[in-house]
Amino acid sequence: MKKIFSIICSLALSVQASFGFESIDEALKNGVSKGDVILYGNYVGLQRGDATTIGNESLELAHYAYLGNLGYLMGNVGLSYTSGFYKNFRASIGFRAVASFYDAHAGLFPPTGGKGDTKADFFNQSQAAIAESFIEYFDGDTSLKAGRIAIANDWVNVLADGIWLRNRSFEKLLLEAFWVNDFGRIDYYQMTRFYRPTTIGLYHTGLKYYILNDALSARIYTYFAPPIFTAVGGRIDGKISFLDFDLKGNVGYAYSIEHSNTLPTTNHLINAGKDGNAFYAQTSFGLPNVFDIAAGYIHTGKETGWGSLAIMGNNIDPFFIWGGKVLKTQPNVNLIYAKVATKVERFNFLITYGASFYDYIFGTKITKANQNELNLAMEIGFTHNVIGVINVLNTHLDSLGVPTMTQVNGGLRLTF
């Protein structure tokens, strides 16, 4: 069982957990320290349309974004340490701190609060914050994390303060559950507040059945915050390997029953409070750690898009976390996309292009609209520890609901 579950928790982790250090001193001495310093800049220019908010600033949503003309230059530093396993336990702690050097609009008061363009993305309560930090128990079959953790899930792309439990005691079955008290983002490109959606938190339970080990698997789950929404969903993943290549595909569907306290995630929807849903599928072909070519399709509900499903962000949207996403703000979206990723020694390259067809709602009027989006990301390793980061985002062909815009950000990152 331990060898099977190690695929999920990584081979190195399972080996260390199975033969954990017998003294705390040895576990601490054999821990892993990481850090980075980055000089980071961001520019956003609107070509058509007005400044737009994604999310609701009064709710302090973790994926909240302000899309307006802005530019800033700032620096931040991150430090983290993860101990080795002492028997079946290990601990990790991380921090990140930021400092603003330049704001193109020093007098801007973004909806996130504060003053200056930098506050559009870095609106944590303080200039320094705790990043991923947790205590973990792992015995080969069971993994239990508690603290501020990054949960691997279709509907989570933020840090969560909570508990995450996975169990693989049965050979073909993975059981999973998590409880989240609050959530937010602490990263080099964004530091948000941590938002508590309900007084009793947010919950997820699910199971994954390995029909043909990694070649074919199926997962079903529930995901809910009782005063806001209750969701059910499922996903099927398949993979065929031949020679050194992989052909992969997945298809998933989730339905959200919106309750009376549903989140007003956009100002445009006139059907807020009605149920949401999402269907998504992707196929890809690639050579692991060299290149990957993928194509996909996403459809969201006719009346309220995917509702509250993405309250903690998502890993379904193929575009950047920041930026003008039709998926986040408009209903009845049909997104068709393609992406290519390559990795050649110290050069990583990703390009994604998609066309979204959706209903733009203004007042009681519904207009059929479309908007295309291009994302380009590059990482250039000048040395093993000096990395150049460049991200480009452009939306075009329409500006109904989401402006036509160009965003360029990135910087120089030093890792140690």
Side-chain angles (χ1 to χ4, degrees):
M1 301 299 175
K2 293 179 181 179
K3 290 183 180 179
I4 296 173
F5 194 38
S6 67
I7 298 173
I8 302 168
C9 296
S10 88
L11 180 62
L13 184 150
S14 69
V15 170
Q16 192 183 38
S18 300
F19 304 99
F21 298 106
E22 291 299 318
S23 75
I24 294 178
D25 289 343
E26 285 296 312
L28 294 174
K29 185 172 66 175
N30 287 277
V32 177
S33 300
K34 294 190 296 183
D36 71 283
V37 178
I38 183 168
L39 180 66
Y40 176 79
N42 186 26
Y43 161 81
V44 182
L46 302 185
Q47 285 77 53
R48 268 185 74 193
D50 300 321
T52 301
T53 59
I54 293 179
N56 187 303
E57 67 274 11
S58 65
L59 296 174
E60 304 178 357
L61 293 177
H63 58 265
Y64 173 85
Y66 172 69
L67 305 178
N69 291 300
L70 59 83
Y72 61 79
L73 180 66
M74 49 84 66
N76 67 63
V77 58
L79 298 171
S80 69
Y81 169 78
T82 302
S83 73
F85 275 92
Y86 169 61
K87 299 185 185 298
N88 297 108
F89 294 89
R90 69 169 178 169
S92 179
I93 188 166
F95 303 91
R96 185 161 291 276
V98 302
S100 176
F101 301 140
Y102 168 76
D103 289 288
H105 307 91
L108 177 70
F109 292 90
T112 47
K115 183 180 179 182
D117 290 1
T118 307
K119 289 297 183 180
D121 293 318
F122 295 85
F123 51 96
N124 191 274
Q125 291 92 333
S126 63
Q127 295 293 96
I130 297 176
E132 187 173 23
S133 302
F134 57 83
I135 296 175
E136 179 178 14
Y137 169 85
F138 181 64
D139 64 9
D141 291 330
T142 301
S143 171
L144 176 63
K145 280 186 177 182
R148 179 160 290 183
I149 49 183
I151 298 173
N153 188 275
D154 285 352
W155 300 105
V156 180
N157 66 12
V158 293
L159 291 177
D161 292 337
I163 300 172
W164 184 23
L165 172 66
R166 290 168 292 169
N167 178 268
R168 188 72 186 270
S169 295
F170 301 97
E171 183 175 358
K172 290 184 174 292
L173 193 63
L174 171 65
L175 304 176
E176 180 184 35
F178 64 73
W179 167 77
V180 170
N181 180 62
D182 59 10
F183 53 84
R185 183 172 288 117
I186 305 295
D187 217 315
Y188 77 86
Y189 55 83
Q190 189 178 55
M191 287 176 57
T192 75
R193 302 182 185 96
F194 272 67
Y195 166 64
R196 189 179 185 188
T198 74
T199 56
I200 58 175
L202 185 147
Y203 302 83
H204 166 91
T205 59
L207 61 88
K208 183 175 183 179
Y209 182 70
Y210 293 85
I211 303 169
L212 297 173
N213 296 323
D214 284 342
L216 183 64
S217 63
R219 178 163 60 93
I220 58 173
Y221 59 85
T222 62
Y223 184 54
F224 54 95
I228 301 174
F229 75 109
T230 299
V232 294
R235 172 170 167 160
I236 296 175
D237 287 84
K239 182 176 75 170
I240 299 174
S241 298
F242 55 96
L243 299 177
D244 293 325
F245 299 94
D246 286 341
L247 178 63
K248 297 184 290 186
N250 67 73
V251 58
Y253 178 79
Y255 188 90
S256 176
I257 302 170
E258 303 289 311
H259 300 319
S260 58
N261 292 330
T262 184
L263 299 175
T265 56
T266 173
N267 296 325
H268 299 299
L269 296 183
I270 59 176
N271 298 315
K274 295 189 177 182
D275 296 347
N277 64 84
F279 170 84
Y280 50 100
Q282 179 177 285
T283 182
S284 67
F285 171 76
L287 184 63
N289 298 315
V290 179
F291 76 90
D292 189 66
I293 302 171
Y297 169 74
I298 300 175
H299 172 72
T300 68
K302 183 176 181 180
E303 295 179 312
T304 58
W306 54 28
S308 300
L309 278 166
I311 183 175
M312 293 179 65
N314 75 95
N315 288 301
I316 295 166
D317 186 343
F319 300 122
F320 294 152
I321 292 173
W322 62 87
K325 317 279 198 315
V326 170
L327 279 170
K328 286 184 178 178
T329 59
Q330 310 301 323
N332 196 26
V333 177
N334 288 280
L335 168 64
I336 302 171
Y337 67 88
K339 59 182 179 179
V340 177
T342 63
K343 183 177 182 180
V344 181
E345 293 183 350
R346 297 175 186 169
F347 179 71
N348 293 338
F349 174 83
L350 169 68
I351 184 169
T352 303
Y353 191 85
S356 297
F357 305 89
Y358 59 98
D359 291 344
Y360 170 68
I361 300 177
F362 186 78
T364 58
K365 183 180 179 181
I366 299 177
T367 303
K368 293 294 182 181
N370 66 278
Q371 188 169 73
N372 290 23
E373 183 164 340
L374 171 69
N375 282 188
L376 175 68
M378 290 184 289
E379 287 189 354
I380 304 169
F382 300 110
T383 71
H384 287 293
N385 301 102
V386 181
I387 303 168
V389 180
I390 302 174
N391 301 303
V392 180
L393 176 151
N394 176 261
T395 59
H396 50 279
L397 297 186
D398 212 327
S399 61
L400 297 177
V402 178
T404 297
M405 58 177 284
T406 300
Q407 181 171 9
V408 181
N409 59 45
L412 190 64
R413 190 174 191 179
L414 311 178
T415 64
F416 54 90

